[in-house]
Amino acid sequence: MNGSSECSTFSAYKRLIPYLRPYTVRLAIGVVAGVVAGGSMFGLLNMSPDILRAFEGTTEGGASVVQNERATALAKRIGVPVMDDEGRMTWQLLILGLIALPILIVVRASADYINRYYLRRAGASVVKDMRDAMFDRLQAQSLKFYGKTDVGQLISRGTNDMGVIEMVISTTISDIVKAPIEIMCAAGFVVYFSMQRQMMGLMSAVLLVFPLCVVPIVILGRYVRRYTHRSLERISDLVSRMHENFTGIRIVKAFNMEKSESSRFAIMNKNYFKAMVKALRSELLMSPLMEGVALLLVCIFAVVCYARGVLLSEIMPIAFAGVVVYQPLKHLARINASIQRGSAAISRVFAVLDMDMILKEADNPVAVKGLNDRIVFDNVSFGYEDEGARVLQDIQVEIPRGTAVAVVGETGVGKSTMANLLARFYDPSEGRILLDGIDLRHIEIASLRRLIGVVTQETILFNDTIASNIAYGTPDASREQIEEAARMANAHEFITADPAGYDRVVGEKGFVLSGGERQRVSIARAILKNPPILILDEATSALDTVTERLVQEAIARVMTGRTVFAIAHRLSTVKHANQILLLEKGRIVERGRHDELLNIGGRYKALCEMQVLEG
């Protein structure tokens, strides 16, 4: 792995520390348990040479003097006799073994359980916190952010990438703790045994070349990280494609594009498959290459031992240590591959957490409780891109409290943009918007939004009951209040016509309702909130003529004492507005009441006559 990759991996995991800190105790318990589980083999390894040598060379005629001396030495160490005069195991040694071995297994198994449980729980907790932080961060981003970002990509990073991180913390940390401890125990035993047998020269050579086993891990690790990052990008593209397709399924079917969409998805799925296979290939190559290097070293070691005439009783304990260390060595390959996958996922998740397109709030914002005087657009200009063309230019408007202002004009002239600025979804590029003389940028965002009810041109309903959708933003509303709002929006009749009534689930984006029904539920939601400022963005565009008239009457009733900012395509719906603004190319070219504008004989009159002819 090159230096930049190592630095990148280290930097990625370093950013996890704040999320790990609340679970330090759990991590510590898991790590200590892993050390106990990994170190439990050292005692057995340390005892194995003496046991082998004590019984080495015994015959039916009994043990030799040398064996007796070895058995006596071992007996002193463990506190019980190990061999009788015939060279057989004593009953005391058998009982000790039957007691000690289960204890060793129980201790190791318990430590392993504690290790994995606490680390997996810590991993799940960390990912839960990260997912919460990611969702909170995304909720705080401005609409400008969502105008530039693929929602499917965000969903993938909150699910697939988070799953990779959870696996790293839950499983890989456990292996990181245990595998090196087990390897160090085996290596420590080999060194200790070699010092006792005066074999340090041979062991030094082995220990010097032993790191060669790790070379395949280091080389292939960078490829795993690279291809994992690529495969995560590809799966994000797949999620994005699926999200876009399913939400637009009506259009797909209306234009008979099912086969085309399937072909497009198949190509993207194939690209993901290729990236995933490349990462898998690099990951799976680690273990066999490492085992190959280890096998080569074992063969060389065996040849050297044979040439130097090393006794079999001296080789066997070392061989046993090699058997013990085999699995931890294999785990090293898995650990590094997992670390690299995690590094790629962490980088992608923090790329989202680092995004900063949040609408800034003043250091000491003003909390407002209502609209007392007026709203003023003071020479407001706006463009969606900092250096791009202006959507609005030099907008100067005063909207006194309790009046209705309507904005009309052709599509794309900036009508909805004015509403978005009033709700402070965006900030003006130039100029300012004042509420009772206070710049919106100096007002607490939450208190401003509490003053505003919005019915958008694109009706947004959630996959919940009709009652819950109407009460969205007013969670404490009673069923009676919900039904009253529905009646005022002319929605009660169609709601109660269904057996489920207000408990009917509307489906994804209100799929089971018609366009007019969705619009009326949305209007009922705004009515229930009972805000002092009401923004109607083409609020009646999806209604038939009769329903439109009834809803207009309902809106007229709730307008009393409220300020209404209405965007309308049908000019017949804005006749009674206190002020009508006609926009062209982002500028106000005409303003006044309906009758006044007709008398002027300008663009507004021409639009009215055009709609009459079209009607």
Side-chain angles (χ1 to χ4, degrees):
M1 188 183 301
N2 57 26
S4 60
S5 296
E6 290 176 352
C7 180
S8 178
T9 301
F10 175 77
S11 299
Y13 281 95
K14 184 179 179 181
R15 300 200 63 182
L16 280 180
I17 293 176
Y19 293 93
L20 291 168
R21 193 170 290 123
Y23 308 103
T24 303
V25 174
R26 292 180 190 172
L27 288 169
I29 293 174
V31 169
V32 171
V35 171
V36 172
S40 62
M41 294 304 296
F42 183 80
L44 183 59
L45 287 172
N46 191 37
M47 294 295 297
S48 62
D50 292 326
I51 295 174
L52 288 172
R53 288 172 61 83
F55 291 96
E56 184 182 48
T58 57
T59 65
E60 292 183 2
S64 66
V65 174
V66 174
Q67 271 76 56
N68 284 326
E69 291 177 353
R70 293 172 180 171
T72 300
L74 179 59
K76 289 182 178 179
R77 290 185 59 189
I78 63 177
V80 297
V82 298
M83 187 172 66
D84 59 18
D85 294 338
E86 301 298 323
R88 294 174 301 186
M89 180 191 304
T90 64
W91 66 268
Q92 294 96 329
L93 180 61
L94 175 62
I95 296 298
L96 179 63
L98 293 177
I99 295 174
L101 187 59
I103 291 176
L104 178 64
I105 292 174
V106 169
V107 170
R108 180 176 174 83
S110 300
D112 185 67
Y113 170 80
I114 294 172
N115 165 257
R116 293 189 179 278
Y117 172 76
Y118 276 93
L119 291 180
R120 294 194 72 167
R121 183 171 176 178
S125 300
V126 167
V127 169
K128 174 184 69 66
D129 292 347
M130 290 185 68
R131 192 177 281 122
D132 287 343
M134 184 178 182
F135 190 81
D136 290 345
R137 186 71 173 178
L138 292 174
Q139 291 291 292
Q141 300 291 345
S142 67
L143 290 186
K144 187 175 182 180
F145 167 82
Y146 287 99
K148 296 182 176 181
T149 306
D150 191 320
V151 174
Q153 294 277 344
L154 300 179
I155 294 173
S156 180
R157 297 194 189 197
T159 53
N160 296 317
D161 294 36
M162 288 293 188
V164 173
I165 296 173
E166 181 174 357
M167 183 61 65
V168 170
I169 299 174
S170 301
T171 303
T172 305
I173 290 183
S174 175
D175 290 336
I176 288 175
V177 172
K178 290 174 56 181
I181 292 295
E182 291 173 342
I183 293 172
M184 285 190 292
C185 285
F189 162 73
V190 169
V191 172
Y192 175 71
F193 179 78
S194 301
M195 291 176 63
Q196 286 187 324
R197 301 300 185 274
Q198 297 180 349
M199 298 168 57
M200 282 306 299
L202 179 62
M203 288 301 102
S204 297
V206 171
L207 294 175
L208 285 175
V209 298
F210 177 77
L212 291 175
C213 295
V214 187
V215 170
I217 298 176
V218 176
I219 294 175
L220 292 174
R222 60 178 179 177
Y223 293 104
V224 172
R225 184 175 190 275
R226 180 189 306 169
Y227 293 130
T228 296
H229 196 284
R230 195 172 299 172
S231 67
L232 288 172
E233 289 179 348
R234 298 291 185 271
I235 194 64
S236 294
D237 293 338
L238 280 182
V239 173
S240 177
R241 184 73 236 141
M242 293 171 70
H243 176 267
E244 190 174 44
N245 180 274
F246 297 154
T247 54
I249 193 65
R250 287 186 179 181
I251 300 299
V252 173
K253 290 187 175 296
F255 285 87
N256 193 33
M257 291 292 289
E258 292 94 336
K259 290 184 178 180
S260 176
E261 288 291 329
S262 294
S263 298
R264 184 177 178 184
F265 180 84
I267 293 172
M268 298 176 70
N269 196 22
K270 185 177 181 180
N271 291 334
Y272 162 67
F273 174 76
K274 289 180 178 178
M276 184 269 294
V277 167
K278 287 181 178 179
L280 183 64
R281 187 185 301 144
S282 299
E283 179 180 344
L284 294 180
L285 275 174
M286 286 186 184
S287 185
L289 286 178
M290 187 184 66
E291 290 176 15
V293 174
L295 179 61
L296 178 62
L297 293 177
V298 169
C299 292
I300 295 174
F301 174 72
V303 171
V304 172
C305 287
Y306 176 78
R308 296 186 58 175
V310 180
L311 297 176
L312 187 61
S313 61
E314 295 175 333
I315 297 177
M316 289 303 295
I318 297 176
F320 182 54
V323 172
V324 170
V325 84
Y326 175 73
Q327 283 300 325
L329 279 175
K330 289 188 67 175
H331 288 167
L332 282 182
R334 187 175 68 189
I335 289 170
N336 189 62
S338 181
I339 287 173
Q340 298 306 323
R341 288 198 305 271
S343 177
I346 291 169
S347 298
R348 284 167 48 82
V349 168
F350 275 101
V352 175
L353 291 172
D354 290 340
M355 289 182 182
D356 187 10
M357 298 179 70
I358 298 173
L359 209 59
K360 303 300 181 185
E361 191 166 61
D363 293 334
N364 296 297
V366 178
V368 293
K369 296 183 178 180
L371 174 61
N372 300 316
D373 184 21
R374 64 188 61 232
I375 298 169
V376 176
F377 283 73
D378 184 15
N379 293 319
V380 170
S381 297
F382 177 78
Y384 286 98
E385 298 294 336
D386 294 335
E387 302 298 331
R390 291 289 188 257
V391 179
L392 295 173
Q393 286 279 10
D394 302 324
I395 300 297
Q396 184 72 40
V397 179
E398 290 193 11
I399 309 173
R401 177 182 178 275
T403 62
V405 173
V407 185
V408 300
E410 297 178 355
T411 300
V413 296
K415 303 188 297 296
S416 295
T417 301
M418 285 187 67
N420 289 334
L421 291 173
L422 175 57
R424 211 197 162 201
F425 295 144
Y426 302 93
D427 282 331
S429 303
E430 298 175 13
R432 56 183 182 164
I433 301 175
L434 306 175
L435 188 149
D436 291 339
I438 306 172
D439 193 323
L440 295 189
R441 285 170 287 207
H442 298 152
I443 295 176
E444 182 184 63
I445 294 177
S447 68
L448 172 66
R449 300 276 168 78
R450 281 194 289 268
L451 303 181
I452 299 175
V454 179
V455 180
T456 59
Q457 180 178 2
E458 179 186 0
T459 304
I460 303 296
L461 298 181
F462 299 97
N463 191 12
D464 205 339
T465 65
I466 291 177
S468 296
N469 273 283
I470 294 176
Y472 191 80
T474 318
D476 298 329
S478 65
R479 179 56 66 95
E480 290 75 17
Q481 291 172 319
I482 292 172
E483 292 181 5
E484 180 61 24
R487 287 190 180 91
M488 296 180 72
N490 198 33
H492 180 74
E493 185 175 347
F494 85 78
I495 293 173
T496 54
D498 188 88
Y502 285 86
D503 295 322
R504 184 184 184 189
V505 177
V506 303
E508 182 77 16
K509 293 188 176 181
F511 192 84
V512 303
L513 303 179
S514 69
E517 290 171 343
R518 290 196 298 270
Q519 196 77 310
R520 280 176 277 172
V521 170
S522 179
I523 292 171
R525 179 168 59 196
I527 291 173
L528 180 63
K529 187 178 179 181
N530 196 24
I533 303 171
L534 190 61
I535 296 177
L536 305 174
D537 187 352
E538 303 278 10
T540 60
S541 62
L543 304 181
D544 58 75
T545 305
V546 175
T547 305
E548 178 185 339
R549 178 175 56 81
L550 294 174
V551 171
Q552 285 293 343
E553 291 175 358
I555 291 175
R557 289 195 297 269
V558 300
M559 283 173 54
T560 304
R562 291 174 177 79
T563 304
V564 178
F565 187 92
I567 299 169
H569 173 69
R570 296 180 185 177
L571 301 184
S572 60
T573 64
V574 300
K575 288 181 179 180
H576 303 292
N578 301 99
Q579 185 178 186
I580 299 173
L581 308 175
L582 175 63
L583 290 184
E584 277 191 1
K585 297 180 180 180
R587 296 179 182 273
I588 299 175
V589 295
E590 293 181 10
R591 72 176 75 204
R593 290 179 175 271
H594 175 72
D595 294 337
E596 294 173 348
L597 294 177
L598 286 179
N599 292 333
I600 293 175
R603 289 289 299 144
Y604 181 80
K605 182 178 181 180
L607 286 175
C608 288
E609 292 173 347
M610 187 180 299
Q611 288 195 5
V612 170
L613 291 174
E614 290 175 352

